[in-house]
Amino acid sequence: MASELSGLGMGRTELSVRFGAPLAGVPAGAEMLGARGLESAEILLSPNPGEELRPLTRIASGGELSRVLLAVKRILAEADDVDTYLFDEVDAGIGGATADAVGRALWSVARARQVVCITHLPQIAVFADRHQLVDKEVAKGRTHSTVRAVEGDARVRELARLLGGQASQVALEHARELLEQAQRPQRRGRKPADGTKAAERN
């Protein structure tokens, strides 16, 4: 688990699991071991050196929660019976090489499961098999969201916009390079069973 978190930009994070009293409704001493176990379990997190371990659900940011979940799913992907994973804002607080590592980890999970990832980072979006753009617009005093697929040159332009705010020639070339690099592991390995979808909010 430590190596998985380190690769996702959480190298200084300490993680622990605390087991507590039996689940509610289970008589003391009863042998009722089921899919959820006999005891209650709580994940504790210390995101920075010197900080005490605290409940993950209370102190972790949305991005930290997503990355911890991603690390767990990377380990359990073959055994988990969940067909689709949704990662929202998994890119919070990261960039550069860490974003690339997160993108590769998402693609790795998607080899066995369908993954839907909401991201603002092109380094993550390039690993998707399908790229969806979420737009908001106001019509007749109400805000509406639309979702449309971006493919081919349109996808390159959108990635370039994410990289530099506008689709300049330099940004377009960088976007094509990112796509080429992201496609290399896909050509070497088995294609994802259900694919990776990147949904990007404007």
Side-chain angles (χ1 to χ4, degrees), residues 69 73 76-86 109 112-115 194:
L69 176 61
K73 294 306 181 184
L76 301 178
E78 296 299 328
D80 201 338
D81 60 358
V82 176
D83 293 325
T84 301
Y85 297 146
L86 172 62
V109 173
R113 299 288 183 269
Q114 177 174 258
V115 172
D194 294 302

Side-chain angles (χ1 to χ4, degrees), residues 16 20 27-28 35 49 64 73 81 83 87 95-96 123 130-131 143-144 150 153 161-162 171 173 175 186 194:
S16 180
E64 287 171 337
K73 294 306 181 184
D81 60 358
D83 293 325
F87 293 96
Q123 294 95 330
R130 299 174 184 85
H131 188 150
T143 302
H144 301 270
V150 286
D153 290 341
R161 187 189 67 81
L162 288 174
E173 291 176 2
Q186 297 186 35
D194 294 302

